[in-house]
Amino acid sequence: ADLLEVYLKNENYTVYKFYNGTDALKCVEETEIDLAILDIMLPDIDGFSLCRKIREKFYFPIIMLTAKVEDMDKITGLTIGADDYITKPFSLAVLRARVANQLRRSRPAASLWQIGLYRFDFEAMEFSREGRPIALSPTEQKLLVENRGRTLPRERLLDRIWADAAFVEPNALSVTVKRLRDKLEDPGYIKTVYGVGYSWAVEP
């Protein structure tokens, strides 16, 4: 933790360092956080439980950084809401690249969309249709934030939405798109481009 603090501060990040999950969760609830790096083996609550608690309210990227290298641990971390999973020993340069990548993915090109019946405020994490709030999961938000008006191949969407697409079920993207359409009561903004992928149309 001390090494990462020094390294990330040298990369001009503001770092909040904690040695247990209780203090880390308190910081998350009181401070505006852009990204969290969690170990699994903590002295009070384990990193998986901490990740679940964070995901109850917050959508910023989470990177698991741990000595637990088993595939099942990795699958568990990604399933409960982690965006990336790095095992020890690790390269600081690789960690820096992973951090930058997750921050880039989490920041939409435009923070506010107002299209037709919808208002999507990505800075405030508020989504509505005709003034009625829409509750979206982190995965659904990532899908929504991708550039509208462009056709994005399934492989690219999988890579952008899930940190490790190799552990994702083949129909996960289709299921997520359907769930998003249902929540939006979508009249046709999310277009299926058969044989390619999906696009967000400017008009339905």
Side-chain angles (χ1 to χ4, degrees):
D2 295 338
L3 174 62
L4 291 183
E5 179 187 29
V6 171
Y7 184 77
L8 291 172
K9 282 185 173 180
N10 286 339
E11 295 294 320
N12 296 318
Y13 292 110
T14 299
V15 179
Y16 302 90
K17 178 184 62 178
F18 302 96
Y19 298 107
N20 62 72
T22 302
D23 291 342
L25 188 60
K26 186 174 185 290
C27 174
V28 166
E29 292 175 339
E30 297 177 351
T31 310
E32 184 175 345
I33 300 295
D34 295 313
L35 179 142
I37 301 174
L38 306 181
D39 201 342
I40 293 176
M41 294 177 283
L42 298 172
D44 48 359
I45 61 174
D46 64 83
F48 290 143
S49 298
L50 179 57
C51 182
R52 289 190 185 96
K53 287 181 178 293
I54 291 173
R55 280 291 177 254
E56 290 175 0
K57 298 180 182 179
F58 304 99
Y59 308 110
F60 53 76
I62 295 175
I63 298 176
M64 307 298 291
L65 183 63
T66 175
K68 297 179 75 66
V69 299
E70 292 82 1
D71 284 347
M72 187 52 63
D73 291 318
K74 185 173 184 179
I75 293 171
T76 299
L78 296 173
T79 300
I80 64 176
D83 298 276
D84 204 349
Y85 194 104
I86 303 174
T87 56
K88 304 174 184 177
F90 62 92
S91 160
L92 287 172
V94 169
L95 176 65
R96 177 185 61 188
R98 297 284 188 93
V99 167
N101 184 49
Q102 289 299 330
L103 290 173
R104 184 173 61 251
R105 288 182 175 188
S106 68
R107 290 168 180 161
S111 62
L112 180 64
W113 291 0
Q114 288 186 291
I115 306 173
L117 305 174
Y118 301 103
R119 185 178 190 274
F120 304 135
D121 187 337
F122 290 99
E123 184 173 347
M125 304 306 288
E126 295 176 348
F127 312 91
S128 61
R129 173 190 164 109
E130 297 181 296
R132 291 184 287 110
I134 304 170
L136 301 180
S137 71
T139 302
E140 292 158 357
Q141 292 172 28
K142 288 180 182 179
L143 179 60
L144 188 59
V145 78
E146 296 304 327
N147 294 337
R148 64 187 185 273
R150 297 175 57 193
T151 300
L152 295 178
R154 292 178 59 88
E155 293 76 14
R156 185 174 175 186
L157 283 168
L158 285 167
D159 180 63
R160 287 192 177 190
I161 296 170
W162 287 277
D164 195 335
F167 290 93
V168 178
E169 292 292 328
N171 66 339
L173 181 58
S174 299
V175 171
T176 303
V177 169
K178 182 182 184 306
R179 191 167 60 237
L180 180 60
R181 281 172 168 158
D182 290 344
K183 287 187 177 182
L184 295 178
E185 301 173 34
D186 176 31
Y189 283 100
I190 302 176
K191 302 287 188 181
T192 299
V193 183
Y194 291 100
V196 181
Y198 300 93
S199 67
W200 178 277
V202 176
E203 297 294 340

